[in-house]
Amino acid sequence: MEKKYQIFISSTYKDLIEARSKVRDAILSMMHFPVGMEMFNAADEEQWEIIQETIDSSDYYVLILGQRYGSIIESGSDAGISYTEKEFRYAREKNFEEKLKESCNDKCY
């Protein structure tokens, strides 16, 4: 039995609903498990902890970029950046690029 991967999808939402849907459908068609912001309210600090745990438990992180920067965090240590950037910064610390290189064996580039 092949391993099933959990793949975290990150982006701004309203402008990229269609793109997110296509990525989600592609992940599902490969019999893997997509997760993303649709399940969370990123503005809530308690929800942020759940998002971190979900990123931590994911095998891959996909960032979809578009025209919008996203909603800006207004206070706290992350004031001035978007929630999407906050997710990206957190995921970048988790070395997803290294995971991708290991799983691709140089076939993905």
Side-chain angles (χ1 to χ4, degrees), residues 33-51:
F33 304 103
V35 292
M37 69 179 291
E38 296 86 348
M39 300 173 202
F40 313 110
N41 174 8
D44 182 281
E45 195 58 38
E46 185 176 309
Q47 290 297 319
W48 173 245
E49 291 175 20
I50 294 169
I51 291 169

Side-chain angles (χ1 to χ4, degrees), residues 69-95:
Y69 178 64
S71 302
I72 305 294
I73 300 169
E74 295 184 14
S75 62
S77 61
D78 296 310
I81 66 168
S82 71
Y83 291 100
T84 304
E85 183 168 348
K86 183 175 180 174
E87 287 177 0
F88 172 71
R89 287 181 178 188
Y90 184 78
R92 190 174 57 186
E93 294 172 9
K94 301 297 168 189
N95 293 318

